[in-house]
Amino acid sequence: MSRITLPRLSVAVATSVAAVALTAVPAAAHTEVEADKAQALAENVTVTFHAEAESDSSGIKEVRVVLPEGITPADVTYDKGPAGWKFTADKDGYTVGGKELKTGVSAEYSVVVRQLPDAKEVAFKTLQTYGDGHVDRWIELDENGENPAPTLALKAAAPGAKPIASASATENPASAAPTDADPTPAAGETLPTVSAQAADTAEDSASGLSAAAWTGIGAGILVAAAAVVLAVRRRGGAEE
């Protein structure tokens, strides 16, 4: 009967425990996120990101984030980050970046979110670019994936908390459409002009008779006067 010595047994148990632990622990996101108020529908939340430097030859120069559903670029403002870095919003998220950091130095920055969505968690897909052009893509929504996106777990919304209108909905309110009674032309539009002849006709019509009618009356008067003169002359010649 073979015997297993205590040291060998201890090593075997330790190895087994380590193997189980390694398979049970999900892959850690190399870009991490946390918030001062990690709660659904919380307002004016400061969200902090830690982008770990993983290159031995180049430093981080830019971090781009695709925002989760329920947060628009207009709802995010820059808080603070590496010296000289700037914040730029785009159609589906934002970018922070600037002078390349020293090799091995992680990039930490924070933004303020107007309101977190009513959800259990929110994932911020992240592209981390180095000075040599290499990009780390932390975009997988599976926390057990090789490149998991930094994900923020949220507590349930506070009683009475309600969604507020996104800032993007109030930046460019639609202008009121002109009514039918509004004579002011729209930008680039010209009102139809009226010719002088048409204006005269309209004025004469407003007085009761058109210009043509007045012309006919005048001609009739002249014909009548000529007839009277002719009649008088004939009568005078007959009397002689």
Side-chain angles (χ1 to χ4, degrees), residues 106-231:
S106 298
E108 290 193 12
Y109 72 92
S110 58
V111 297
V112 177
V113 178
R114 192 163 182 256
Q115 184 181 43
L116 293 175
D118 189 5
K120 293 182 179 180
E121 62 180 22
V122 283
F124 299 84
K125 296 181 179 180
T126 301
L127 302 179
Q128 187 174 309
T129 304
Y130 295 84
D132 60 3
H134 176 74
V135 179
D136 288 337
R137 301 176 183 275
W138 307 111
I139 59 175
E140 295 181 14
L141 298 182
D142 182 1
E143 63 178 8
N144 295 314
E146 295 183 358
N147 299 285
T151 301
L152 182 65
L154 303 179
K155 298 178 181 179
K162 296 180 180 180
I164 59 177
S166 171
S168 60
T170 58
E171 283 184 344
N172 297 308
S175 58
T179 62
D180 293 339
D182 187 1
T184 305
E189 179 184 358
T190 57
L191 292 175
T193 57
V194 179
S195 65
Q197 181 179 359
D200 292 341
T201 301
E203 184 178 355
D204 292 338
S205 298
S207 64
L209 294 174
S210 66
W214 283 111
T215 302
I217 293 173
I221 293 173
L222 291 176
V223 171
V228 170
V229 171
L230 180 59

Side-chain angles (χ1 to χ4, degrees), residues 21-115:
L22 288 174
T23 57
V25 176
H30 293 267
T31 295
E32 300 175 354
V33 59
E34 59 182 4
D36 62 344
K37 292 180 286 185
Q39 185 174 24
L41 299 181
E43 299 180 27
N44 299 318
V45 180
T46 299
V47 182
T48 302
F49 294 85
H50 177 91
E52 184 177 346
E54 297 192 341
S55 173
D56 296 330
S57 59
S58 186
I60 301 171
K61 71 171 186 179
E62 180 181 282
V63 178
R64 185 182 185 281
V65 171
V66 176
L67 291 169
E69 184 178 357
I71 303 177
T72 69
D75 295 326
V76 180
T77 55
Y78 193 44
D79 183 31
K80 58 184 179 181
W85 278 30
K86 295 183 179 181
F87 174 93
T88 305
D90 50 42
K91 63 180 182 179
D92 60 356
Y94 63 83
T95 299
V96 290
K99 184 180 179 181
E100 179 182 344
L101 302 180
K102 292 183 178 180
T103 301
V105 175
S106 298
E108 290 193 12
Y109 72 92
S110 58
V111 297
V112 177
V113 178
R114 192 163 182 256
Q115 184 181 43

